[in-house]
Amino acid sequence: MVALFVTDFLGLLKQWVDDEDLSDELLLSWVAMAEERFNNELRSRDMVRSVAVMLADQCIPLPDDFLEIVSVRYSNNGLPLRYISPDEYWRIRSASEFYLSGPQTTAITYLDPATGAPIGPLPRQPAFIDYPGSSGPRLPLARNAYTLIGNTLFVHPTVAEPNQDVDPTEVQLAYYSKVAPIAEAPEPTPLFKRSPKLYTFGALAQSAPYLVEDQRAMIWDGNVTALIKAMNESAHTARTVGSPIVMQVRSFG
């Protein structure tokens, strides 16, 4: 049983194509295909979810509705994790100096400005690099890291063996989630409320194989493309504006 807002929306689609004889099942198939396109192409703020993930081991399956990561950070101290390639991840994991260090560690490694070599004993899990006498912010070192292999999230470092005294590692995972199907929603979803026009043109654009030579299908598809582009740019701008600007000074000596 679909919700009333969905029934009203299907009635609107029938008016757009000027055919009251279309079945609700056919119209819902167009909506489902439109939502599949949204999952593939759209990255809107309304699709962002944040969840706390417990890792008793170094990896955990991604949520079923996962599309793309926005950010990952440790819950207990807020330190961000940086994405690295799977090969780099396994290199870090196999390095005995940093193997399974606790995420609570925050150390500074000082490097010789001339050679770039570490000064003094290397800490087990440095969070930052700093150059003595240099000005400007400390530069993050990719030791708090994550990677994706298939549908699995791998995090380093994680606790070695959780027990009654040591809790499992917890990270805050922010990610773009799949669009919630409106056919199963009891009330309008956030994306539907924000842009009903996107749903209207999206469903109508999927009618092209059924309506065959209806020239309006090209117009509907073009409107969907423009709306997705505008919403993606808006989400990208919001993320860029919210990020600090870091200047890196490169030496040519």
Side-chain angles (χ1 to χ4, degrees):
M1 184 66 179
V2 297
L4 178 60
F5 84 93
V6 178
T7 301
D8 293 340
F9 177 62
L10 298 182
L12 177 65
L13 295 180
K14 292 178 182 179
Q15 294 180 37
W16 271 89
V17 297
D18 193 22
D19 190 344
E20 296 292 334
D21 295 328
L22 295 176
S23 67
D24 288 352
E25 290 74 16
L26 176 62
L27 295 172
L28 286 174
S29 72
W30 296 349
V31 174
M33 287 187 285
E35 290 170 336
E36 181 180 351
R37 178 179 180 181
F38 301 160
N39 290 333
N40 292 333
E41 301 179 20
L42 179 64
R43 295 296 180 266
S44 166
R45 295 190 300 271
D46 306 277
M47 300 167 65
V48 176
R49 292 192 59 198
S50 181
V51 296
V53 179
M54 301 291 292
L55 294 100
D57 197 357
Q58 70 191 58
C59 62
I60 194 169
L62 290 165
D64 292 338
D65 61 349
F66 173 84
L67 288 176
E68 180 182 325
I69 282 183
V70 175
S71 66
V72 184
R73 66 180 179 85
Y74 288 116
S75 297
N76 61 342
N77 54 24
L79 283 175
L81 286 87
R82 177 183 175 185
Y83 175 80
I84 57 177
S85 69
D87 285 349
E88 179 67 9
Y89 177 85
W90 294 119
R91 188 192 68 78
I92 290 178
R93 289 291 295 185
S94 63
S96 59
E97 295 89 348
F98 309 110
Y99 184 67
L100 292 178
S101 300
Q104 301 87 351
T105 305
T106 303
I108 296 177
T109 300
Y110 289 94
L111 304 184
D112 188 317
T115 65
I119 299 176
L122 197 63
R124 284 180 56 80
Q125 200 271 313
F128 297 95
I129 288 180
D130 204 354
Y131 290 86
S134 67
S135 60
R138 293 176 296 177
L139 304 177
L141 181 63
R143 296 301 177 189
N144 301 322
Y146 75 91
T147 194
L148 301 177
I149 301 178
N151 292 319
T152 303
L153 171 68
F154 287 76
V155 171
H156 176 82
T158 54
V159 297
E161 295 181 1
N163 54 47
Q164 60 181 1
D165 299 318
V166 180
D167 293 330
T169 301
E170 180 180 279
V171 297
Q172 292 290 328
L173 172 63
Y175 66 97
Y176 287 107
S177 63
K178 294 180 181 178
V179 173
I182 64 170
E184 303 172 5
E187 58 185 23
T189 62
L191 182 60
F192 185 88
K193 288 191 291 186
R194 178 186 177 187
S195 185
K197 182 167 59 176
L198 176 66
Y199 268 86
T200 300
F201 289 135
L204 292 172
Q206 300 303 323
S207 70
Y210 182 85
L211 300 178
V212 189
E213 297 182 357
D214 194 326
Q215 299 300 315
R216 295 174 298 177
M218 296 181 60
I219 299 176
W220 294 333
D221 186 76
N223 284 332
V224 176
T225 301
L227 286 168
I228 289 177
K229 179 181 178 182
M231 295 173 73
N232 284 350
E233 290 177 349
S234 176
H236 176 74
T237 300
R239 291 181 63 182
T240 304
V241 171
S243 302
I245 299 177
V246 179
M247 296 182 61
Q248 296 186 358
V249 179
R250 300 180 61 183
S251 172
F252 296 93

